[in-house]
Amino acid sequence: MPTTPALVSALRELGERPAVVADGRTISGIGLLLGVSPPGGLPRALAQRVAEHAALPPSAARAAEQRLRYWAGVLGTPPIRHTVLHPVTDLAVDLALATLLAGGTVHCGDPEQRPEQQLATVAASRATHLSLPSALLWRLSRQPGLDAHDLGTLRLVLHVGPEPRQEDVYAAVDALGAVLAHVRAPDSNAEAADRRLRADAESASAAAWKHSIGVTAPQVREFGAHLDRAVLTALLHTLQQSGVLTDPARGYPEAEVLATALVTPAQRPRVARWLDALARHGLITRQDGGAQGPVFRGGPGPAAAAVRDAWRPAVEAWADGLGPAAALDRVRRGALRLPRLITGEEAPRPAAAPVRWAAARGYLGAALGALVRAAAEAHTAPIPLRVLELDPEGGEGAVARALTGRPRQHAEHHLAPDGGRYDVVVAAARGRTAEEVPALVRLLSPGGRLLLLAPTAEQLDLLITGDDAQRLTAHPAEHWRAALTAAGCPTVLTLPEDGHPMGLLGQRLFAARVD
C-alpha cells in the first residue's frame, strides 16, 4: 500500500471517473492506481509517482503528502479541472497530484503546441485552473484571436518563472480574467539568463549616459512640436500654391488634388501620404467620397513668410544641444524643393534618416555596442559567437566596433542570413510588426538575443526627406514589447527606459531574449 493514504483515498473515491485526460484518452482514478497511462509525458510521470509512494519510508511519505496538501490548498475548493501546460518537471507532477488529492481532474496539455491550439484545449476542457511557464502565459495572453476562445470558467492561473514584470501581469489578468499566482523558479537557466540580460542592459544604459547629458524632456517635446508644425505647414503650402485646398466650402477629391498640383505618377504615393498626415493632424479634413475616393477640405493657408517663420522655433530648440545643424538644414532645404519635386522638375535626393535620429544616434549606438560587447565577452562556447546585423547603417557601425577587440575566431559578424541560427541578431524595424518580429525571432538560437531598433513615434520629416521604403509605421513601446513577447521572447527590455528624455525622440532599442 502506498504510504500517502490521502492521495490513494482520493483516487479510490474517483473510482472510474476521469482522473487524467491526455491525447483524447481518459484515465480513471483506479486506472491511475494500477499504473495505466499513455506512453511518455505527464500521465506516465503521474503513474510512476503514485507507484513510488508505496516504497517511501514513513517520514518521506509524510513530507510528500504535506507538499501535496500545500499545493492543493493553493488550488482551492472544487470543482477543479486543471490544465497543465508545463513541461514534465517535479513541480508539474506535484501540481497534478495535488489536483487529484483535491478531487479534481488533470488535463495534460502540450507546451509545444501552437498558442491557438493551446487556447482551444483550455477552452474545450472548460478548465477552472491553468498552470504553465510564465513565458508561455505572457505569449497566450497577447495571442491574437484570444477573445474567440471561451475561457469564462477559468479561475486561477499558476505561472512558473522569474519575478514577473507588472505590465505582463496586468495584461494577462485583463486578457484571461482570472487570478494569477506566481511560482518562483529560483535556479532556472531562464532566470539566470534574465539576470544577465538585465545586468547587461544596466551597463549599456551607463555606457550611453554621457550622450544624454543636457537633454531634457521639455526640450525634446518642444522641438518635436515645432518641427512637426513646420513640416505640416510646408506640405500644406506646397499644395495650396497650386490652387487646391484653399476654399473651405469646396471638397477636393484626391485625384483632383494630384492632377491640379501636377504631381507626377512617381510622386503620387508621397503626396497621398501628405494628405493623410494633414488630415490626421487637423490642418485639413477628410470625408468619404465613395467611388471617387476620399475628399479633402482646406481653408486659407499660411503665407510664404509664415511658412519660413515656422522653422525658426524648431531651429532654436534644435541648436540648444540636440544635434548637428546639418541634419535639420537638410529638412528645411528639402521643404523648399517640394514644389519642383512633386512635378518632376527636380529629381529626388537620396533619402535621409529622421532628423531626431541625429539626436538619438549617439545614445542608441553606445547602448547597442555595449550589449553586443557584453554578449561577446560572456561567450565561452568552443564555437564562435554568431552575430547577424541586418541593417549596418541603422546601427551606425556600433556592432563592428564592439566586435573589433575580440579574437576573430571568437565571433562571426554576418551581414546577411546564411540559413543558420544566431546568438545575437541586430535589426532595425520597418514597422510591419506582425511579419517582421516573428521572422527575426526565428533567426535566433536557443538563449539568443534580439537587439531591435524600432520607431516609437511618428517622424513627419520623412514626408519631406524620406522615400517610399521609409514609410515607418511607428508604434508605442508597449506595442513592440507585446509583439516580441507574443513571438516567443519571455524577457523584453527597453533602452532608454520609459520616462527617459531620449525615449521621446521616437526611436528605442529593444533587447529581447528567447529560451
Side-chain angles (χ1 to χ4, degrees):
M1 287 288 294
T3 54
T4 51
L7 176 60
V8 174
S9 298
L11 292 174
R12 285 176 174 169
E13 188 173 341
L14 278 171
E16 297 300 330
R17 287 177 292 158
V20 176
V21 179
D23 295 328
R25 180 177 175 182
T26 299
I27 308 169
S28 68
I30 296 299
L32 192 60
L33 281 173
L34 295 175
V36 176
S37 71
L42 186 57
R44 169 165 288 188
L46 289 175
Q48 290 174 343
R49 180 74 70 83
V50 171
E52 288 169 2
H53 280 304
L56 290 176
S59 60
R62 286 193 296 270
E65 184 171 336
Q66 184 178 10
R67 186 172 66 250
L68 296 184
R69 287 189 182 278
Y70 168 78
W71 289 118
V74 172
L75 296 175
T77 58
I80 299 175
R81 295 183 297 276
H82 187 178
T83 297
V84 179
L85 270 174
H86 203 278
V88 181
T89 62
D90 287 341
L91 178 59
V93 174
D94 279 350
L95 290 172
L97 290 177
T99 302
L100 300 174
L101 182 64
T105 304
V106 177
H107 292 262
C108 300
D110 182 356
E112 300 301 323
Q113 276 186 322
R114 295 196 304 273
E116 59 268 22
Q117 293 174 308
Q118 293 168 335
L119 289 169
T121 298
V122 175
S125 67
R126 296 188 56 75
T128 60
H129 293 63
L130 172 64
S131 61
L132 70 175
S134 299
L136 180 54
L137 172 59
W138 313 143
R139 191 184 312 178
L140 292 180
S141 64
R142 292 183 168 94
Q143 181 67 18
L146 184 145
D147 291 343
H149 301 280
D150 183 4
L151 304 178
T153 59
L154 198 58
R155 303 197 318 255
L156 177 66
V157 176
L158 286 168
H159 63 99
V160 184
E163 196 66 31
R165 300 185 311 161
Q166 284 302 310
E167 52 263 43
D168 290 330
V169 174
Y170 295 150
V173 170
D174 289 343
L176 301 179
V179 174
L180 262 61
H182 172 232
V183 180
R184 187 175 178 83
D187 296 320
S188 67
N189 291 333
E191 187 170 22
D194 277 346
R195 286 197 300 269
R196 288 194 299 270
L197 181 59
R198 293 183 190 280
D200 291 346
E202 290 178 5
S203 298
S205 293
W209 174 80
K210 64 180 180 180
H211 296 279
S212 63
I213 294 175
V215 178
T216 66
Q219 177 189 15
V220 174
R221 291 193 185 96
E222 180 185 8
F223 168 72
H226 291 318
L227 174 64
D228 291 349
R229 187 178 302 113
V231 168
L232 292 169
T233 301
L235 301 182
L236 180 60
H237 181 67
T238 298
L239 295 175
Q240 288 186 330
Q241 283 181 297
S242 303
V244 294
L245 302 173
T246 56
D247 184 355
R250 182 187 169 192
Y252 295 83
E254 181 178 302
E256 182 181 347
V257 172
L258 298 174
T260 305
L262 303 178
V263 180
T264 64
Q267 292 298 319
R268 286 172 186 169
R270 179 195 297 267
V271 176
R273 296 198 299 275
W274 291 6
L275 294 170
D276 176 69
L278 290 168
R280 282 189 289 107
H281 290 274
L283 278 75
I284 61 176
T285 61
R286 182 212 310 266
Q287 297 174 331
D288 183 8
Q292 66 179 338
V295 175
F296 299 93
R297 293 180 184 271
V307 176
R308 290 193 300 271
D309 290 343
W311 290 97
R312 185 174 297 114
V315 172
E316 293 172 353
W318 180 256
D320 191 19
L322 276 181
L328 186 56
D329 286 345
R330 186 182 299 112
V331 183
R332 295 175 63 195
R333 291 195 300 270
L336 295 174
R337 291 193 294 267
L338 290 179
R340 299 187 300 277
L341 175 66
I342 63 175
T343 59
E345 299 174 57
E346 182 170 326
R349 303 291 178 93
V355 68
R356 291 174 179 87
W357 172 247
R361 64 196 297 180
Y363 182 96
L364 294 175
L368 178 61
L371 286 168
V372 173
R373 191 177 304 110
E377 291 173 350
H379 186 69
T380 58
I383 59 175
L385 181 83
R386 284 170 54 83
V387 179
L388 172 64
E389 185 179 15
L390 292 174
D391 188 0
E393 293 183 5
E396 297 287 333
V399 175
R401 290 193 298 272
L403 296 175
T404 297
R406 306 299 306 175
R408 183 176 299 275
Q409 69 273 15
H410 196 73
E412 297 175 352
H413 187 189
H414 299 260
L415 300 180
D418 62 3
R421 298 291 187 93
Y422 299 88
D423 302 294
V424 179
V425 172
V426 181
R430 295 301 179 189
R432 299 171 60 184
T433 318
E435 298 88 1
E436 63 183 322
V437 169
L440 291 171
V441 171
R442 286 194 293 270
L443 293 170
L444 290 168
S445 299
R449 295 180 179 182
L450 172 61
L451 305 179
L452 181 67
L453 289 163
T456 55
E458 188 176 30
Q459 308 285 346
L460 290 177
D461 51 295
L462 288 179
L463 295 172
I464 295 176
T465 57
D467 58 22
D468 194 56
Q470 287 178 295
R471 280 189 296 171
L472 298 185
T473 302
H475 298 291
E478 293 78 6
H479 175 95
W480 291 106
R481 284 194 285 258
L484 288 162
T485 300
C489 298
T491 302
V492 182
L493 306 180
T494 310
L495 296 172
E497 64 275 9
D498 292 341
H500 195 289
M502 299 299 290
L504 300 174
L505 291 168
Q507 194 86 359
R508 307 281 283 276
L509 172 60
F510 295 88
R513 177 188 67 78
V514 297
D515 285 328

